[in-house]
């Protein structure tokens, strides 16, 4: 029988980790055992660890060291880090086996929202041969997770260099999302190992300052994912998606808009919700199996990690 209250350690620097800790404290069935940086070991009695790396840590590859260490030490771990390119699946699996621990990567809003939309759509639609997804993300001055500020993606800078680096640092989120979509729509084994292509373009004002960043990612001829990142304005929803599906006989378009929830940017709200809802299912699941399914409501062992 599981404990009525689970002790959760929140590891990571920055205000977003604080938000997750606050959400945990607000739950009657959860409590924060510690709120500290990722270099510190969780205290005895901690049931689950939530690891929230900053943008700088993601860019530096820090999760590649922190995640296996936590799992080897026997901690069940939920992380908001993008896994693609940071931790080889075989290393995650070995760490889970060593520590008899369970792992789950919630990813971030960039992956979970389109994945869930597509999964729902493919239940009633057949014969899809192309999927085009457009994400429009408006940044407030303080930024959204995992980025710290607009400057992390190049807005407000000059030249394309910062935007290119900012897009590369979060490739893992989008690659994971595209692979889930590839499997859901096309049931393609090739998408599991393929690396999506990426191109970055910037739109500048008259003085050469970047106002908008456009990132195009493609996984084969059937999947495209465009991200449009710009500055927030009061007259529009700060997170918007357009989904276009094409069959041999028709084309369908769906639009989804997300607005602020309790003063929190919808991107951050969705990431927080993904983490909190994953805590108990991950802790209560059998040890030694790593999960990377993007929807915690459909927990399934990742075949890459259990073979």
């Amino acid at each position: 029988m599981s404990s009525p209250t689970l002790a959760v350690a929140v590891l990571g620097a920055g205000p977003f980790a604080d938000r997750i800790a606050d959400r945990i404290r607000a739950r009657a069935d959860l409590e924060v055992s510690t709120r500290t940086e990722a270099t510190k070991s969780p205290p005895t009695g901690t049931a689950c660890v939530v690891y929230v790396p900053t943008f700088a840590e993601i860019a530096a590859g820090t999760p590649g060291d922190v995640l296996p260490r936590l799992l080897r030490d026997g901690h069940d771990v939920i992380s908001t880090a993008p896994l693609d390119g940071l931790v080889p699946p075989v290393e995650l699996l070995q760490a889970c086996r060593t520590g008899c621990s369970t792992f789950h990567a919630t990813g971030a809003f960039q992956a979970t929202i389109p994945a869930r939309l597509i999964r729902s759509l493919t239940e009633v639609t057949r014969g899809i041969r192309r999927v085009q997804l457009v994400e429009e993300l408006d940044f407030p001055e303080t930024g959204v997770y995992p980025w710290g500020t607009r400057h992390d993606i190049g807005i407000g800078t000059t030249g394309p260099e910062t935007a290119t680096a900012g897009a590369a640092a979060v490739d893992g989120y989008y690659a994971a999302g595209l692979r889930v979509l590839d499997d859901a729509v096309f049931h393609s084994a090739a998408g599991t190992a393929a690396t999506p292509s990426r191109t970055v373009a910037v739109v500048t004002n008259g003085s050469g300052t970047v106002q908008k960043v456009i990132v195009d990612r493609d996984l084969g001829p059937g999947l495209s994912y465009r991200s449009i990142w710009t500055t927030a304005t009061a007259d529009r929803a700060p997170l918007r998606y357009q989904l276009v599906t094409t069959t041999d006989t028709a084309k369908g378009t769906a639009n989804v808009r997300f607005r602020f929830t309790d003063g929190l940017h919808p991107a951050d709200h969705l990431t927080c919700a993904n983490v909190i809802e994953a805590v108990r299912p991950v802790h209560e699941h059998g040890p030694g199996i790593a999960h990377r399914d993007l929807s915690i409501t459909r927990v399934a062992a990742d075949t890459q990690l259990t073979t």
Side-chain angles (χ1 to χ4, degrees):
M1 181 179 295
S2 61
S3 170
T5 304
L6 294 183
V8 183
V10 181
L11 276 58
F16 189 72
D18 292 332
R19 290 188 185 120
I20 289 179
D22 289 340
R23 292 286 184 98
I24 291 173
R25 293 186 184 101
R27 285 275 295 259
D29 62 331
L30 304 175
E31 64 182 10
V32 176
S33 64
T34 186
R35 166 70 189 92
T36 186
E37 295 187 2
T39 54
K40 304 292 182 61
S41 297
T44 302
T46 295
C48 190
V49 174
V50 174
Y51 171 47
V52 187
T54 64
F55 176 78
E57 290 170 334
I58 291 171
T62 303
D65 296 323
V66 173
L67 287 169
R69 170 174 59 82
L70 290 170
L71 293 167
R72 284 194 301 267
D73 288 346
H75 301 293
D76 294 334
V77 178
I78 296 167
S79 179
T80 57
L83 270 297
D84 287 72
L86 290 177
V87 188
V90 67
E91 185 176 346
L92 276 176
L93 177 58
Q94 186 57 51
C96 288
R97 288 173 173 168
T98 299
C100 293
S101 52
T102 304
F103 172 75
H104 177 69
T106 64
F109 64 91
Q110 299 97 327
T112 56
I113 295 302
R116 290 173 182 177
L117 287 172
I118 289 288
R119 279 176 174 161
S120 299
L121 183 66
T122 52
E123 290 179 356
V124 296
T125 305
R126 296 293 182 267
I128 295 175
R129 59 182 176 83
R130 179 162 176 75
V131 175
Q132 299 164 279
L133 185 68
V134 179
E135 165 198 88
E136 295 179 274
L137 173 61
D138 292 357
F139 282 73
E141 182 61 38
T142 54
V144 295
Y145 185 81
W147 303 278
T149 68
R150 298 171 186 160
H151 284 246
D152 285 339
I153 59 164
I155 294 177
T157 66
T158 56
E161 296 81 11
T162 302
T164 300
V170 296
D171 272 346
Y173 292 123
Y174 291 90
L178 281 167
R179 288 176 185 140
V180 167
L181 300 184
D182 187 59
D183 178 65
V185 179
F186 303 114
H187 310 290
S188 171
T192 301
T195 299
S197 64
R198 168 176 42 85
T199 59
V200 181
V202 298
V203 178
T204 61
N205 61 15
S207 62
T209 302
V210 174
Q211 301 292 295
K212 181 183 295 186
V213 177
I214 302 171
V215 185
D216 285 298
R217 293 178 172 86
D218 297 287
L219 185 61
L223 276 175
S224 66
Y225 198 153
R226 167 169 285 193
S227 298
I228 302 173
W229 301 333
T230 189
T231 300
T233 62
D235 61 341
R236 63 190 180 199
L239 180 60
R240 307 175 299 281
Y241 286 101
Q242 182 181 74
L243 173 66
V244 180
T245 54
T246 303
T247 68
D248 288 331
T249 58
K251 178 178 289 188
T253 301
N255 293 286
V256 182
R257 295 176 175 84
F258 295 90
R259 299 190 180 275
F260 278 83
T261 301
D262 296 328
L264 191 62
H265 192 287
D268 285 344
H269 169 74
L270 291 167
T271 304
C272 281
N274 287 339
V275 169
I276 303 305
E277 294 305 318
V279 171
R280 188 168 286 276
V282 167
H283 175 67
E284 293 178 351
H285 199 280
I289 301 175
H291 300 274
R292 297 200 303 174
D293 188 274
L294 293 174
S295 172
I296 194 61
T297 60
R298 203 172 72 90
V299 176
D302 189 319
T303 56
Q304 294 183 74
L305 303 175
T306 56
T307 55

